Amino acid sequence: MEGRTHRLTEPFTKEAIKDYRAGDTVLITGTVYTARDAAHKRIMEKLEQGEELPFAIENSIIYYVGPTPPKPGHPIGSAGPTTSYRMDAYAPKLLELGQLAMIGKGQRSQEVMDAVVRNKAVYLAAIGGAAALMAQKIKTAEVIAFDDLGAEAVRKLYVEELPLTVILDPEGGNLYEEGRKAYLDSL
């Protein structure tokens, strides 16, 4: 299941990720936005009301994280991924609007998996349990929307070589399924 390593740098494009496959490693450098379920709900409300969104969805990368407060001199506190399925109700719509990638942890619904393939996007997993490591790769963090949500506010992050693994790829590859099959075949 060992894959290739890719460096994804801004500007992010569908062309840059078209050859990513489940199991590949991706090191992202550039702007990533944070949003969890409460922020996703508000983003959807803004879409429904025809209001301006806090960031451009097209070619965006959204990290499902609610970081802890930063220590003095640091841009952010611990920044580990949250369970992604809570965003499954919102992800297909954002992918249809051109979102490039989602970062989180855990399984996704069939609707999200289908939307990833249909829109040639990717779902990336951050290292669960390594929130301090992830925070080291975040160089700046700025709340840009929904400040009242605290840890769940939308933040604009600048990351350098944020280490991620491709779980769902543009061609329908699914590391969770492929990994499970490889393990069972090895028994």
Side-chain angles (χ1 to χ4, degrees), residues 32-175:
V32 172
Y33 298 95
T34 69
R36 287 182 42 165
D37 28 337
H40 273 78
K41 182 177 184 225
R42 288 200 186 165
I43 288 169
M44 289 307 182
E45 289 167 354
K46 284 186 167 294
L47 279 171
E48 289 168 7
Q49 295 166 4
E51 295 177 14
E52 186 174 336
L53 298 180
F55 60 93
I57 298 297
E58 188 170 1
N59 291 322
S60 68
I61 298 174
I62 298 178
Y63 185 13
Y64 304 149
V65 61
T68 62
K71 293 180 181 173
H74 296 269
I76 203 163
S78 292
T82 196
T83 305
S84 300
Y85 75 82
R86 291 195 307 262
M87 275 55 73
D88 282 3
Y90 312 111
K93 175 68 174 174
L94 295 177
L95 290 167
E96 297 294 335
L97 293 173
Q99 182 181 348
L100 188 76
M102 305 160 286
I103 303 169
K105 67 178 181 183
Q107 294 275 9
R108 304 307 298 267
S109 69
Q110 188 63 51
E111 291 78 17
V112 173
M113 291 188 280
D114 293 344
V116 165
V117 173
R118 192 170 51 252
N119 295 286
K120 301 300 182 194
V122 291
Y123 169 51
L124 306 166
I127 304 165
L133 168 67
M134 302 307 284
Q136 290 174 6
K137 301 298 182 179
I138 299 169
K139 303 306 176 184
T140 64
E142 170 192 4
V143 173
I144 61 168
F146 318 134
D147 190 38
D148 62 304
L149 295 178
E152 290 201 40
V154 174
R155 287 172 173 73
K156 179 180 179 180
L157 307 179
Y158 182 81
V159 301
E160 288 182 359
E161 298 205 339
L162 184 68
L164 306 163
T165 302
V166 178
I167 301 299
L168 302 176
D169 70 40
E171 297 301 316
N174 182 332
L175 184 61

